[in-house]
């Protein structure tokens, strides 16, 4: 059996700082990422502002998710029972290899040579596409952005808008080449129409579909999927067989709870009051949708996270990506720098834990601890708190070896930890940001080197230190003046 | 598959080891019931204000919106089809005959497969509930609404919504949906769209590119 960190499909090859530097050198990508995240964030702020009950919705969403995790075995069993009663089949996969094997077997049982797919992060996580291809099954991504990624032989960089690092000229080139459409225009509508025509034939022909899910619903044994384009609905309803691969943490107690998440997730994810399509179903319904429905419940490093009382909240995540869009580090580096399926602030805490803290250890440092991620999170995951907690774990691990003891990160983090220890447990992220920087600020007021935390980044463009201001205020100010880093290079 | 049984036991054991002692079902139920749901707000808008709000939201999504009375549905449907240049529509079983104007062809689509649905001019359906605040319409597998693919594969969807089916908020909609929560359900908010290319909302990817709603005063 493969331990999770031995998976061949894990992206992790470089540490974050190194990868971030590469990204920063690609200015077109940076512009695309910055444009996209700014647009989504503005929209998000507008539609969130419309709801006076927003904080109550966040609190309720947080409580529901935390409750489900505290009794995860109970709700998974309830889901299994109700899904099975409704005609679905439930499978359990303890790791990525297990999940790949189950999925391939199900697909091969139907002699399928092609499968259509709805965007799913769990599929990325287990490296499903490569595995299917290696066994003669062609996976076809149907989400427009995923299609762009797949045809462009690229990797997703954001989990709501995976191709946000590509602009329309780049998309057009990929489509012209891969769909054999030399005359294709570059208007977004031309590109969408090309995708519609390219995929429609496949929806009507291919008999097996693979999806993820946004929620598993314990009391109905149901599944919920949010989407925009209708590709999800096509995959959920037209094929004969549907296989949904879902992390065990995705279960919620009741259908009723969707009244919270259908308000918070669309607003957080795409800045819309509601995304065009949401689907819920339980098992199979004669004459409506697939004749055969399978759910594969994926653990792959999740269950041990429940044992860590401080880090457990990581699993409340509903993958809306609001924390990515709000993060000044993501804004600069884009998703690829994290070299992990789950990018951004949530990736910085989730990835190393899924890998049992054996890899991705620089990720908890890929943050300024400014607190913007916590503020926007619709289920109130205190990412800065978990980051600090995980950094502590990394330092503890490192101290077990001599080179670790003398390591630069370690010295820097110990200095920070010393300061932290003095004033006890701090939860104010803005304050933490200032504290964490103290040992690093040189006399001229610039942070030219940070231990682990984006050292590659600061080598590329020095960051101005944050005297009394919070990182975020500073960021907002820098940003509005339209001359972000160049100024600081002096 | 012996492996499968092992994985199930292994995952459950690992979860239990992490969580510690198991709670009794009654304790879990009590904890769940204690979750604070202060997000519900009393509705202060008049019915007409609510309908106007719903209408605005639909138009923002680029859906066409029409009004009818219980006796003028067929007439309004005829006007819409004429302006869209359609000769007729497919429909699920259970659409009342009095909705259907003369001079157009309405075919029962309940037996059609996806290839046949792909060739129809559009589809006419009812709905279960509609949400003013988000401009959403929920369809379930029920008479007049049909199987999910019916409102998906055709390029045009005309939906009849009764004013009494329009509720203010998402939680209000769930009050109505709870009794039939297990049915296949689709929440539709405007025509299919994507913002995947440079964050521009582009109408019409895979679902119906054209979407009209008739709101019937009842
Ligand atoms: S951590 Fe919160 S904000 Fe980030 S993706 Fe998860 S739910 Fe969304």
């Amino acid at each position: 059996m493969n331990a999770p960190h031995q998976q061949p499909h894990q992206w992790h090859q470089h540490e974050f700082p190194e990868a971030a530097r590469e990204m920063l050198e690609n200015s077109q990508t940076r512009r695309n990422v910055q444009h996209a995240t700014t647009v989504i964030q503005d929209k998000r702020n507008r539609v969130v502002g419309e709801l006076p009950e927003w904080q109550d919705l966040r609190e309720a969403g947080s409580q529901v998710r935390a409750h489900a995790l505290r009794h995860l075995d109970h709700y998974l069993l309830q889901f299994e029972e109700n899904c099975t009663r409704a005609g679905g089949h439930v499978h359990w996969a303890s790791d990525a290899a297990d999940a790949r094997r189950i999925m391939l077997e199900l697909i091969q049982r139907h002699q399928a040579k092609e499968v259509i797919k709805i965007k799913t992060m769990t599929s990325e996580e287990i490296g499903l596409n490569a595995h299917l291809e290696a066994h003669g099954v062609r996976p076809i991504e149907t989400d427009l952005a995923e299609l762009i990624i797949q045809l462009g032989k690229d990797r997703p960089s954001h989990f709501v808008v995976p191709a946000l690092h590509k602009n329309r000229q780049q998309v057009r080139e990929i489509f012209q080449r891969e769909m054999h459409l030399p005359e294709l225009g570059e208007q977004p509508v031309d590109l969408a129409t090309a995708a519609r025509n390219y995929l429609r034939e496949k929806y009507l022909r291919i008999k097996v579909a693979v999806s993820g899910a946004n929620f598993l619903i314990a009391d109905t044994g149901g599944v919920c999927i949010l989407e925009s384009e209708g590709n999800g609905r096509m995959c959920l309803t037209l094929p004969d067989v549907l296989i949904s691969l879902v992390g065990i943490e995705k279960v919620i107690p009741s259908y009723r709870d969707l009244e919270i998440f259908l308000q918070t997730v669309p607003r957080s994810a795409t800045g819309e009051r509601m995304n065009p399509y949401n689907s819920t179903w339980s098992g199979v319904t004669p004459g409506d949708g697939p004749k055969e429905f399978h759910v594969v419940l994926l653990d792959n490093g999740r269950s041990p996270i429940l044992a860590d009382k401080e880090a457990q909240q990581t699993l409340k995540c509903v993958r809306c990506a609001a924390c990515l869009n709000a993060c000044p580090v993501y804004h600069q580096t884009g998703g690829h720098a994290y070299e992990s399926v789950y990018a951004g602030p949530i990736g910085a805490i989730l990835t190393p834990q899924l890998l049992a803290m054996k890899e991705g250890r620089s990720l908890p440092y890929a943050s300024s601890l400014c607190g913007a991620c916590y503020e926007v999170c619709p289920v109130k995951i205190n990412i800065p708190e978990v980051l600090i907690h995980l950094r502590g774990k990394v330092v503890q691990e490192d101290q077990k070896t001599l080179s670790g003891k003398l390591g630069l990160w370690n010295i820097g983090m110990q200095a920070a930890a010393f300061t932290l220890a003095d004033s006890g447990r701090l939860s104010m992220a803005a304050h933490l940001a200032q504290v964490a920087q103290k040992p690093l600020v040189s006399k001229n007021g610039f942070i030219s080197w940070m231990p682990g935390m984006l050292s590659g980044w600061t080598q590329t463009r020095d960051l101005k230190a944050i005297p009394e201001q919070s990182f975020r205020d500073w960021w907002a100010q820098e940003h509005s003046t339209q001359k972000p880093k160049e100024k600081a290079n002096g | 598959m012996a492996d499968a049984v092992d994985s199930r036991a292994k995952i459950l054991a690992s979860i239990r080891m992490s969580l510690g002692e198991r709670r009794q079902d009654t304790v879990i139920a009590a904890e769940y019931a204690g979750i604070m749901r202060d997000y519900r707000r009393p509705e202060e808008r008049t019915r007409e204000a609510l309908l106007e709000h719903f209408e605005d939201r639909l138009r923002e999504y680029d859906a066409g919106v029409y009004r009818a009375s219980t006796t003028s549905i067929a007439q309004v449907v005829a006007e819409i089809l004429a302006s869209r240049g359609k000769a007729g529509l497919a429909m699920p079983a259970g659409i009342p005959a009095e909705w259907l104007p003369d001079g157009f062809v309405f075919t029962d689509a309940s037996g059609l497969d996806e290839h046949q649905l792909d060739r129809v001019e559009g589809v006419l359906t009812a709905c279960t509930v509609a949400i003013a605040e988000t401009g959403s319409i929920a369809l379930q597998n029920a008479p007049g609404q049909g199987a999910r693919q019916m409102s998906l594969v055709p390029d045009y969807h005309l939906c009849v919504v009764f004013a009494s089916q329009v509720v203010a908020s998402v939680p209000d909609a769930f009050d109505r949906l709870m009794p039939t929560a297990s049915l296949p359900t689709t929440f539709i908010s405007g025509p299919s769209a994507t913002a995947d290319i440079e964050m521009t909302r582009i109408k019409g990817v895979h679902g119906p590119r054209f979407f009209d709603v008739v709101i019937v005063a009842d």
Side-chain angles (χ1 to χ4, degrees):
Chain A
M1 190 199 74
N2 279 345
H5 59 282
Q6 289 164 343
Q7 284 154 24
H9 307 293
Q10 202 59 46
W11 296 356
H12 236 85
Q13 284 159 13
H14 304 91
E15 292 296 348
F16 182 84
E18 207 184 314
R21 182 166 52 204
E22 278 171 28
M23 285 306 301
L24 290 172
E25 280 159 7
N26 187 342
S27 58
Q28 182 60 53
T29 304
R30 279 179 70 206
R31 271 198 298 276
N32 296 347
V33 170
Q34 289 176 1
H35 169 72
T37 50
T38 308
V39 171
I40 313 181
Q41 234 196 313
D42 288 350
K43 285 170 65 190
R44 181 246 168 226
N45 293 344
R46 206 165 47 236
V47 293
V48 163
E50 287 174 5
L51 290 185
E53 63 271 37
W54 181 252
Q55 293 306 337
D56 296 329
L57 284 165
R58 277 182 84 213
E59 180 59 35
S62 167
Q63 288 190 20
V64 167
R65 294 292 299 125
H67 168 83
L69 292 173
R70 268 198 303 277
H71 310 289
L72 189 60
D73 53 340
H74 170 85
Y75 286 117
L76 285 172
L77 289 172
Q78 200 187 336
F79 170 80
E80 179 184 50
E81 188 186 327
N82 290 327
C83 177
T84 308
R85 186 180 304 139
H89 302 273
V90 178
H91 311 260
W92 302 70
S94 58
D95 59 20
D98 214 12
R100 289 192 295 261
R101 179 184 55 74
I102 295 170
M103 308 276 295
L104 183 66
E105 266 177 30
L106 291 171
I107 292 165
Q108 285 177 337
R109 199 186 291 170
H110 295 275
Q111 284 98 36
K113 288 279 163 236
E114 293 174 302
V115 296
I116 42 177
K117 288 186 69 199
I118 316 171
K119 178 173 73 190
T120 138
M121 297 305 296
T122 39
S123 154
E124 286 287 335
E125 182 186 325
I126 67 163
L128 183 65
N129 284 4
H131 186 69
L132 294 183
E133 277 161 19
H135 290 82
V137 178
R138 181 175 167 224
I140 297 164
E141 297 290 351
T142 63
D143 182 78
L144 182 52
E146 286 287 344
L147 183 68
I148 295 166
I149 300 287
Q150 190 178 39
L151 294 177
K153 302 183 178 52
D154 199 350
R155 293 185 315 205
S157 68
H158 185 282
F159 39 83
V160 170
V161 200
L164 99 177
H165 59 289
K166 294 270 187 243
N167 65 23
R168 70 174 86 165
Q169 285 81 12
Q170 294 168 314
V171 174
R172 177 194 183 205
E173 278 167 34
I174 295 169
F175 281 12
Q176 281 178 326
R177 188 177 67 234
E178 300 293 325
M179 295 179 185
H180 311 291
L181 296 171
E183 306 296 321
L184 183 63
E186 66 163 42
Q187 292 307 312
V189 64
D190 300 327
L191 302 171
T193 306
R196 180 182 170 97
N197 297 336
Y198 178 80
L199 287 172
R200 178 138 304 215
E201 170 271 326
K202 299 183 168 55
Y203 294 136
L204 296 176
R205 179 169 54 79
I206 296 175
K207 292 299 168 210
V208 178
V210 169
S211 84
N214 292 87
F215 299 101
L216 300 174
I217 307 155
D219 68 350
T220 59
V223 180
C224 174
I225 290 187
L226 279 60
E227 57 146 341
S228 293
E229 299 165 15
N231 63 307
R233 294 180 65 196
M234 291 283 181
C235 295
L236 302 178
T237 54
L238 299 190
D240 292 338
V241 181
L242 172 63
I243 309 167
S244 301
L245 172 69
V246 193
I248 51 171
E249 82 281 19
K250 290 283 180 74
V251 69
I252 54 173
S254 172
Y255 195 77
R256 167 65 80 178
D257 299 322
L258 289 175
E259 72 186 21
I260 303 165
F261 301 112
L262 291 191
Q263 294 194 75
T264 53
V265 177
R267 283 181 168 84
S268 301
T270 52
E272 292 176 294
R273 297 184 188 99
M274 193 68 90
N275 43 300
Y277 300 132
N278 298 319
S279 299
T280 62
W281 73 95
S282 302
V284 290
T285 305
D288 188 340
K291 298 183 184 67
E292 204 180 301
F293 173 54
H294 299 269
V295 177
V296 180
L297 298 173
L298 177 72
D299 185 342
N300 202 31
R302 287 162 172 78
S303 54
I305 301 177
L306 293 169
D308 184 335
K309 289 279 172 287
E310 311 216 27
Q312 190 191 88
Q313 54 176 315
T314 309
L315 296 178
K316 290 194 294 186
C317 178
V318 294
R319 307 278 189 272
C320 70
C323 58
L324 277 65
N325 304 330
C327 176
V329 175
Y330 180 90
H331 204 86
Q332 281 297 317
T333 62
H336 289 159
Y338 297 79
E339 296 228 324
S340 123
V341 174
Y342 302 104
I346 180 62
I349 60 172
L350 180 60
T351 304
Q353 294 188 81
L354 286 177
L355 300 173
M357 300 303 291
K358 292 195 176 65
E359 278 183 55
R361 290 148 40 97
S362 62
L363 287 178
Y365 295 89
S367 162
S368 65
L369 297 177
C370 73
C373 46
Y374 174 49
E375 228 169 83
V376 296
C377 178
V379 289
K380 295 178 91 165
I381 299 173
N382 194 331
I383 296 179
E385 189 180 279
V386 180
L387 279 165
I388 296 288
H389 173 70
L390 296 180
R391 286 179 190 184
K393 279 190 159 179
V394 171
V395 172
Q396 271 173 23
E397 281 287 315
D398 274 358
Q399 282 175 337
K400 293 175 186 159
T401 66
L402 183 63
S403 68
K405 272 203 181 82
L406 302 174
L408 293 177
W409 282 8
N410 199 2
I411 292 167
M413 284 316 292
Q414 279 180 25
F418 182 75
T419 323
L420 286 169
D422 204 28
S423 39
R425 225 199 121 68
L426 300 171
S427 58
M428 276 183 57
H431 187 56
L432 284 173
Q434 287 166 7
V435 172
Q437 278 178 37
K438 267 187 190 137
L440 322 168
V441 182
S442 61
K443 284 197 204 85
N444 60 12
F446 289 90
I447 304 170
S448 51
W449 179 83
M450 289 190 238
M453 173 169 134
L454 287 185
S455 57
W457 188 31
T458 53
Q459 277 158 28
T460 314
R461 33 193 79 255
D462 291 7
L463 260 183
K464 195 166 184 192
I466 308 122
E468 301 304 327
Q469 236 175 343
S470 79
F471 186 92
R472 261 184 83 221
D473 297 342
W474 167 81
W475 185 268
Q477 196 181 319
E478 282 289 297
H479 221 64
S480 62
T481 58
Q482 292 300 315
K483 39 185 173 180
K485 297 287 130 334
E486 286 68 23
K487 195 174 76 183
N489 265 338
Chain B
M1 295 199 294
D3 270 5
V5 177
D6 287 346
S7 289
R8 183 178 185 276
K10 198 162 119 192
I11 294 170
L12 287 169
S14 170
I15 293 172
R16 281 175 192 148
M17 193 165 85
S18 289
L19 291 177
E21 199 197 337
R22 274 200 81 187
R23 299 279 179 279
Q24 283 182 335
D25 289 3
T26 49
V27 175
I28 297 174
E31 188 185 299
Y32 177 74
I35 290 175
M36 157 228 97
R37 293 178 190 262
D38 294 349
Y39 51 79
R40 296 208 69 151
R41 292 274 184 281
E43 182 50 51
E44 280 149 10
R45 279 166 292 201
T46 63
R47 184 115 282 270
E48 185 48 37
L50 213 61
L51 293 179
E52 273 166 29
H53 194 76
F54 180 51
E55 221 181 297
D56 286 348
R57 290 290 188 252
L58 287 168
R59 287 191 207 284
E60 267 180 61
Y61 291 134
D62 221 354
V65 189
Y66 301 82
R67 297 277 194 130
S69 67
T70 45
T71 52
S72 69
I73 301 175
Q75 191 193 325
V76 174
V77 168
E79 283 163 22
I80 298 170
L81 292 186
S83 74
R84 290 267 180 201
K86 309 253 175 219
L89 294 175
M91 56 181 193
I95 295 281
E98 61 266 27
W99 293 10
L100 310 177
D102 294 334
F104 297 89
V105 184
F106 293 91
T107 45
D108 182 351
S110 33
L112 300 188
D113 67 16
E114 55 267 28
H115 298 273
Q116 292 164 317
L117 280 173
D118 194 31
R119 290 192 292 269
V120 305
E121 281 187 85
V123 65
L124 170 67
T125 73
C127 75
T128 299
V129 64
I131 307 168
E133 223 151 62
T134 59
S136 311
I137 292 167
L139 262 60
Q140 294 193 308
N141 186 319
Q145 301 169 55
R148 288 170 290 175
Q149 57 266 31
M150 237 176 261
S151 57
L152 172 67
V153 179
D155 205 11
Y156 173 64
H157 180 191
L158 174 58
C159 186
V160 175
V161 179
F162 286 87
S164 57
Q165 293 178 311
V166 180
V167 298
S169 68
V170 176
D172 292 343
F174 275 81
D175 289 345
R176 299 210 185 177
L177 288 168
M178 280 312 284
T180 49
S182 302
L183 290 178
T185 304
T186 311
F187 296 79
I188 298 172
S189 306
S192 102
T194 182
D196 275 351
I197 300 169
E198 295 185 1
M199 296 296 108
T200 316
R201 184 166 167 137
I202 318 163
K203 197 173 78 167
V205 193
H206 304 296
R209 287 182 287 189
F210 306 95
F211 181 49
D212 290 329
V213 176
V214 182
I215 303 173
V216 182
D218 65 339

